[in-house]
Amino acid sequence: ILDIDLDYFATYSPLLAFLIRKHGWTTQADAEAFSGWAVPLGQLCAHGLEQATRNTLFAPECQPLTVQEVVRLPFHADGQHAFPSAADIGGAFLAIHPECEVPHCILTALSDLVRNLTPQQRLQWATLHSDDWWWIMQSQGPHHYSTPEEISSSVLKLEAVFSYLSEPPCLVTIARSMDMYMPEGASDLAEWEAG
């Protein structure tokens, strides 16, 4: 028995898939623009900032202020675009908790991320609702949008795998996400190509 999982060919991070659908960012350009900043921000927050400041910025009494500060990074109070330096971000975090010690590499990565946002990505950031940020600031699973050409190319690579089998499988099953984890149209194409 051979089971082919179509999520291999294209998949949205489960946490981001909800937001992609909620905000209608289902075209490749929109989904890729969103994941281009949301995935690294989630990694920086979950695996960097939160781990380094668990007892300061992410202590229960400071966590809401820290999240609020992260959400405000690309904008000044008047709504104008901000391009904060690592020192600016570090200062804002010190104002929340004067004993926090955020590694410089995390501050620099946050600054670089915000400073390099495209206008489309800044609009996406500003569009998110307050309850959306929980989904963003988590460790993200795999996220890969494939074009139809990339899906076809990946399916063709299965032929090499099949050549190593001594005989054809007696049964081939295809596992297909019926939920929101595959980009629109990708599951139908991958199933057709793999079938």
Side-chain angles (χ1 to χ4, degrees):
I1 298 175
L2 174 65
D3 182 41
I4 300 172
D5 187 342
L6 298 185
D7 288 345
Y8 167 80
F9 301 106
T11 190
Y12 285 149
S13 166
L15 295 176
L16 298 183
F18 170 74
L19 297 177
I20 287 170
R21 299 274 193 260
K22 177 181 177 181
H23 293 283
W25 300 326
T26 57
T27 66
Q28 180 180 2
D30 290 341
E32 288 298 294
F34 177 61
S35 67
W37 66 267
V39 170
L41 181 63
Q43 299 299 340
L44 280 167
C45 290
H47 295 294
L49 186 61
E50 184 173 358
Q51 286 184 359
T53 62
R54 187 173 314 283
N55 297 319
T56 55
L57 294 176
F58 280 86
E61 66 277 7
C62 294
Q63 184 178 12
L65 296 172
T66 302
V67 170
Q68 186 177 35
E69 191 58 42
V70 170
V71 169
R72 290 194 308 228
L73 284 175
F75 305 102
H76 292 292
D78 64 1
Q80 296 299 312
H81 291 187
F83 299 89
S85 67
D88 296 334
I89 297 170
F93 288 149
L94 284 170
I96 294 169
H97 198 294
E99 295 176 16
C100 72
E101 295 180 10
V102 182
H104 185 72
C105 61
I106 294 172
L107 296 172
T108 300
L110 285 169
S111 174
D112 289 346
L113 177 75
V114 172
R115 293 165 78 84
N116 290 312
L117 291 171
T118 66
Q120 178 187 15
Q121 290 171 324
R122 284 178 182 271
L123 181 60
Q124 288 175 330
W125 190 304
T127 301
L128 292 174
H129 306 143
S130 61
D131 60 330
D132 292 340
W133 286 98
W134 180 89
W135 299 90
I136 300 282
M137 296 178 75
Q138 305 298 316
S139 179
Q140 303 298 327
H143 184 91
H144 175 66
Y145 189 105
S146 296
T147 64
E149 294 78 22
E150 291 169 331
I151 292 172
S152 294
S153 175
S154 294
V155 170
L156 288 175
K157 291 177 185 175
L158 288 176
E159 290 181 20
V161 173
F162 295 149
S163 70
Y164 287 102
L165 301 175
S166 59
E167 56 187 66
C170 60
L171 177 66
V172 176
T173 62
I174 296 177
R176 165 188 178 143
S177 290
M178 295 301 288
D179 50 26
M180 60 187 156
Y181 299 133
M182 286 193 78
E184 288 184 7
S187 58
D188 292 339
L189 177 62
E191 185 173 319
W192 175 260
E193 293 277 343

